[in-house]
Amino acid sequence: MADLGAVKRKIAELESKNDIDKAISELEKAIQDFPKEGSLLNKLGDLYIKVSRQREALEIYLRGAQVFKEETYYPNAIALCKKILRLDTERIDVYFLLGDLHKELGQRVEAANYLLEFAERKVKAGNLEEALKTYNVIKELVPNNSKILQTISAIYAQLGKKDQGAEF
């Protein structure tokens, strides 16, 4: 196993020489040795973008966000999620991940906003059960929000569970 610092220096050197393909190759190898090193995943995603490999970049950024989340580096995970959404706003699950990360940081309003985006997209896609679960999480983050309570009640009605929705 190589020294992480040496690997990063080699990649930086290759990038400075504009040898992006070789830097990508070195990063792909380094990630096998350091699978929990989110900074390598972030750099690989950035280099994929430079060579127009957006789909691969999105997957690597997501993997990096998950690694950072597992390692409790929530701000780093949030940054990678935002990179994903700048490239592809249709990555619905990233909104949920962002909501979860902000919730972990105690940022209730930000968490609720991202979860709300996720839930609204799930409703539009016809996935009412998942939307309902998410709206219930939002309800815990921002209690007594009448609009959220009305939405939960309406979803219960759409699901034929009007009795459960009556409490809202």
Side-chain angles (χ1 to χ4, degrees):
M1 185 179 289
D3 170 55
L4 181 59
V7 168
K8 287 182 175 184
R9 283 189 295 279
K10 183 174 184 178
I11 292 164
E13 181 184 326
L14 290 167
E15 188 178 10
S16 72
K17 292 178 181 176
N18 211 26
D19 195 349
I20 304 302
D21 290 330
K22 184 138 175 136
I24 287 172
S25 177
E26 288 297 320
L27 268 168
E28 290 170 341
K29 286 185 233 169
I31 287 169
Q32 292 175 358
D33 289 338
F34 303 99
K36 297 292 183 188
E37 184 56 44
S39 65
L40 294 178
L41 294 161
N42 181 32
K43 176 53 88 175
L44 181 58
D46 291 347
L47 293 180
Y48 279 157
I49 293 298
K50 280 188 175 183
V51 295
S52 301
R53 292 168 62 180
Q54 181 173 322
R55 185 183 55 76
E56 291 154 294
L58 291 169
E59 294 309 314
I60 286 295
Y61 285 148
L62 183 57
R63 191 167 140 202
Q66 291 163 339
V67 165
F68 280 134
K69 181 183 178 195
E70 289 167 13
E71 301 294 319
T72 68
Y73 294 124
Y74 301 130
N76 297 37
I78 288 169
L80 285 181
C81 287
K82 288 182 177 182
K83 280 186 177 185
I84 293 168
L85 292 179
R86 276 195 298 273
L87 295 167
D88 184 358
T89 58
E90 298 306 311
R91 301 290 291 245
I92 297 171
D93 291 342
V94 175
Y95 291 101
F96 186 86
L97 179 56
L98 274 165
D100 191 42
L101 291 164
H102 281 287
K103 188 171 102 176
E104 290 291 334
L105 289 171
Q107 299 168 338
R108 299 166 70 88
V109 173
E110 291 89 345
N113 285 336
Y114 283 111
L115 291 171
L116 186 59
E117 181 69 29
F118 174 81
E120 288 172 351
R121 288 172 181 245
K122 287 297 179 177
V123 167
K124 286 179 187 167
N127 191 338
L128 298 179
E129 292 286 347
E130 195 164 358
L132 183 60
K133 287 181 202 171
T134 306
Y135 275 112
N136 279 312
V137 172
I138 297 167
K139 180 184 74 168
E140 299 302 316
L141 291 169
V142 286
N144 303 318
N145 181 312
S146 61
K147 185 175 180 193
I148 298 299
L149 298 176
Q150 289 169 352
T151 302
I152 291 171
S153 181
I155 292 173
Y156 273 122
Q158 285 180 283
L159 291 171
K161 302 176 181 178
K162 208 168 193 167
D163 295 346
Q164 289 173 298
E167 67 184 77
F168 301 102

